[in-house]
Structure formats: C-alpha cells, structure tokens
Amino acid sequence: MGDLKNILLAEDSPDDVFMIRSAFKKSGFKDPIYVVPNGEEVLQYLKGEGLYADRQQYPVPHLLLLDLNMPRMNGFDVLSWIRARQEWMCLPVIVLTTSFYGPEIKRAYNLGANSFITKPPDFSQLVASLKEVGEHWLRRAILPEPGPFIPSPTLALAAISQPSKQRRPKPARTRGSTDKSLGKSGRVSDL
C-alpha cells in the first residue's frame, strides 16, 4: 500500500478507538494510529510536549481524525488552534464524530476541517467510510511539503522550545549619537 503515514486519533471513547482501529485494519491499512483521549493532549502531541516529546515514539502526524465532543478541550477549540498555526496548515483534519447537526458541520468547515464524517452506526459502513478517508488522505492527496513558505512542524517546534541564542540587535544610530568609527554627529564626513 505504499509508504505508511502516521494517523493521530483524538477520541475519548475506548470502544470507538477499538472500532476505528479495526475498521482501518479491515480496510487494509497498516498505518500506525496514535491515540490521544482529549483536546489538551492533541495540542501536547502536536507541540511535542510532555509525554509526547519523543518524536521517535510519537512522530509528526500526516492525518488527524478529530472527535468534537472530548473532555478538557473540544474539537472546535483544537481545530481553531491548529488552523491558527502555519506549521500545521497542511495537516488534513477529518472530523469524525457522532454529530450530524447542521450548525456543527458548518462551524467545523468554517474553522478549517478538511472533511466531516458522522460515525456510522454499522461497522461495515465505518469500514467503507474510513477506507475512503485512507485512500484519499493517506494515499492520493498531494499536500505541500514544508519549505520557505510552510515551516516544518518539527523545526518550528524545535525553534520555539530552544532558548534564543541570537545576539541582541545593535541599536540604530541616530543623529547626534557618538560612534568611534564615525564622527561625533554620526556622519562619515566628521572624520
């Protein structure tokens, strides 16, 4: 099936986690699925903080399956946080929830969801839905690579977490300032 991609599943129901993992497996996908149980841990995972600091063990995701109704921080808040950060602008976010309420669907798309899927009640329908998601977002979709206009999530997070070692900028010379290499007035002609 090609290169494996990392899936981050934000889901607080162990039963739903089991069903989603099983549905992907039944669809033929062997891509690793990393699970976080609430919205706050989604942010920690994406930032590479705390328990999720080891990127070997918790790699940058290629796809986020996001439940809306989670404890501590709901899916709307998570989606809003993600779309406010350049390094995550290309992360496909698929809302996978029990809701089919029109205003919630509209709000999710307005906040930048790539897709909204209501969890089907039947396992075979869930398999079919996740097969479509996987085929499109994990295999066919061509997403922008980090580059000059899109920061890499890994590099952006490393820059944020390391203390700044940059030198302070030199103060700008103003008229009348004294500088040894220039004359008293700051003009070369005073030398």
Side-chain angles (χ1 to χ4, degrees):
M1 280 214 139
D3 294 333
L4 298 180
K5 305 268 178 83
N6 303 313
I7 301 168
L8 179 59
L9 172 59
E11 176 60 65
D12 62 319
S13 165
D15 292 338
D16 285 352
V17 169
F18 176 77
M19 296 294 281
I20 291 165
R21 282 184 186 273
S22 300
F24 266 112
K25 189 174 182 179
K26 183 137 175 95
S27 298
F29 290 93
K30 296 178 181 173
D31 303 78
I33 300 174
Y34 301 86
V35 180
V36 291
N38 61 63
E40 286 180 359
E41 288 195 42
V42 174
L43 272 53
Q44 287 178 355
Y45 188 106
L46 294 176
K47 292 177 187 179
E49 292 180 347
L51 174 67
Y52 308 106
D54 181 357
R55 280 297 184 207
Q56 296 287 19
Q57 190 174 358
Y58 300 103
V60 171
H62 296 95
L63 176 69
L64 171 60
L65 300 175
L66 180 66
D67 188 17
L68 292 179
N69 304 309
M70 294 183 295
R72 297 192 203 160
M73 180 184 239
N74 68 40
F76 293 118
D77 293 335
V78 169
L79 189 52
S80 183
W81 182 91
I82 289 170
R83 293 305 183 225
R85 279 146 187 85
Q86 250 190 339
E87 66 270 19
W88 295 111
M89 67 185 274
C90 296
L91 175 67
V93 179
I94 310 305
V95 172
L96 183 60
T97 188
T98 56
S99 176
F100 53 87
Y101 183 56
E104 287 188 343
I105 296 169
K106 182 178 179 186
R107 184 176 176 199
Y109 280 116
N110 285 340
L111 289 172
N114 295 91
S115 189
F116 190 105
I117 300 172
T118 300
K119 292 175 188 169
D122 179 70
F123 181 70
S124 63
Q125 291 173 334
L126 180 63
V127 169
S129 292
L130 292 181
K131 182 175 176 112
E132 287 180 33
V133 165
E135 286 294 332
H136 180 75
W137 292 107
L138 298 174
R139 301 298 180 258
R140 289 192 305 262
I142 299 171
L143 299 171
E145 294 289 326
F149 302 107
I150 302 170
S152 164
T154 307
L155 296 177
L157 295 173
I160 291 168
S161 64
Q162 291 182 1
S164 177
K165 293 181 181 178
Q166 296 176 343
R167 291 185 291 171
R168 290 189 336 199
K170 294 180 181 178
R173 289 192 262 279
T174 58
R175 188 165 228 192
S177 67
T178 303
D179 186 311
K180 291 180 184 177
S181 64
L182 301 177
K184 211 173 195 179
S185 69
R187 289 179 280 173
V188 175
S189 62
D190 287 346
L191 291 177

